[in-house]
Amino acid sequence: MRSQNWGAKAMSSSFYNVQKALQLYSSRVTSAQLSRAIGQQLPAFARSPQDGRKLKSWSLQELPLVGEKIGFLRKPTQPVAIATFVTKGGVLKTSLTLNLARLAALHGIRTCVVGLDMQGDITSALGFEANVDDIDSLDSALEQMNSVQGLAQVFSGESTLAEVIQPTDLPTLFFIPETPELVALDQSLMNKNRREHWLKDHVVDPLKKEFDLVIMDCSPNWNRLITNALVACDLLISPVECKINNFRNLKIFQALLSEFRQDLRLGFDHVYVPTRLSPSRKLSQEIYSWYQKNLPVVAKTAIRESVQGEESTAMHISVPEYQATAVAADEMRELLSEIWAKLNTVAPARTELIEELALAANVAESMMGATHVS
Ligand SMILES: Nc1ncnc2c1ncn2[C@@H]1O[C@H](COP(=O)(O)OP(=O)(O)OP(=O)(O)O)[C@@H](O)[C@H]1O
Ligand SMILES: [Mg+2]
């Protein structure tokens, strides 16, 4: 892995105490139960970088170990590749990718995001920015910017896959940045044998050996990178806006997708996610209901239009990290749990600590019962 010369922006040096962690994961565990598990089933609290004294909280780096035990997503039993794609712009593809990636990583699920949109939105959303503030000449700034390598360099053989993977502020989250050369890569794939399979063979399948989850953030334009993403994915997530202008586009998308799937005999699962629902608007509600009745597989939970949704994306974090107790955060957790349940490589039960604690409570109860009888 290449050491980063453009830093993933230090988005949050956040620390999480028991209460904040319970809210983030909306966990059923009580704060007393969680406190008792610290230093045993859960990591000990962090130490202050200044004076080494013990803090009453976990650092962001330790949080995935907590999420793994008390969270709502379980590690897949086999690696999974997800693509977020539909042929409509601005329907929350990237926002969904960001939320899915960060929340999976916060559950200890090793995640790698592959940016496939020339606009570079997921790369920015993951906090990747030109670290050129201290550079005072154009030449040096350009050199710094040009040193970022991505999939095009992997394709040409200039870089290995390991060299283009970048870290983030979470120890379980990595990504391959989008670079302007993606446009050229799209063209180069045209002349390649098995041109729809390049990404699967050279990127996604190798990533699955290192990561539990690979998420491809796609552009709204159906190009060769997209056909590659569809070939490489196990699950396709297509956000659909609860707005009238989505309808015509949706029909065309469904027809194109079905033809492509048949031609290439692809067996990926597909789920539609209603987005930008305005609950107070009758039309928006009617469209939501129409989706529920007419789309083959559609999530019950919709993402509403919300300030928290907009602001959290702008701040490069998931909605529950931004405001854990907001309705928008509940919705996001609910939606991801629903999507997770559709993956057949994930056990449906909740996480270990909850089971352990429930078991301990049962034992205690039955012992009390036994005491009563006697
Ligand atoms: N719940 C929400 N309600 C309203 N706006 C939101 C919400 N979540 C995210 N947004 C904002 O909507 C805008 C578009 O979202 P996003 O970039 O995720 O769409 P997209 O489908 O990836 O777009 P594109 O097709 O251009 O890639 C962003 O500015 C984002 O901050
Ligand atoms: Mg996008």
Side-chain angles (χ1 to χ4, degrees), residues 287-315:
I287 294 171
Y288 169 81
S289 304
W290 189 93
Y291 289 155
Q292 297 296 332
K293 271 199 213 108
N294 295 286
L295 291 176
V297 184
V298 57
K300 282 221 158 43
T301 317
I303 303 182
R304 291 179 218 207
E305 287 280 1
S306 77
V307 177
Q308 290 93 347
E310 211 170 339
E311 289 182 351
S312 56
T313 305
M315 290 182 69

Side-chain angles (χ1 to χ4, degrees), residues 164-207:
V164 300
I165 299 173
Q166 299 282 349
T168 68
D169 58 339
L170 293 173
T172 38
L173 180 58
F174 296 79
F175 68 105
I176 301 182
E178 288 141 328
T179 65
E181 291 84 15
L182 275 184
V183 181
L185 172 60
D186 189 52
Q187 287 300 316
S188 309
L189 285 171
M190 182 77 171
N191 311 315
K192 188 97 184 134
N193 249 356
R194 281 172 56 84
R195 60 183 169 214
E196 285 89 7
H197 292 258
W198 180 79
L199 193 70
K200 178 174 165 54
D201 295 348
H202 295 88
V203 179
V204 175
D205 283 353
L207 286 177

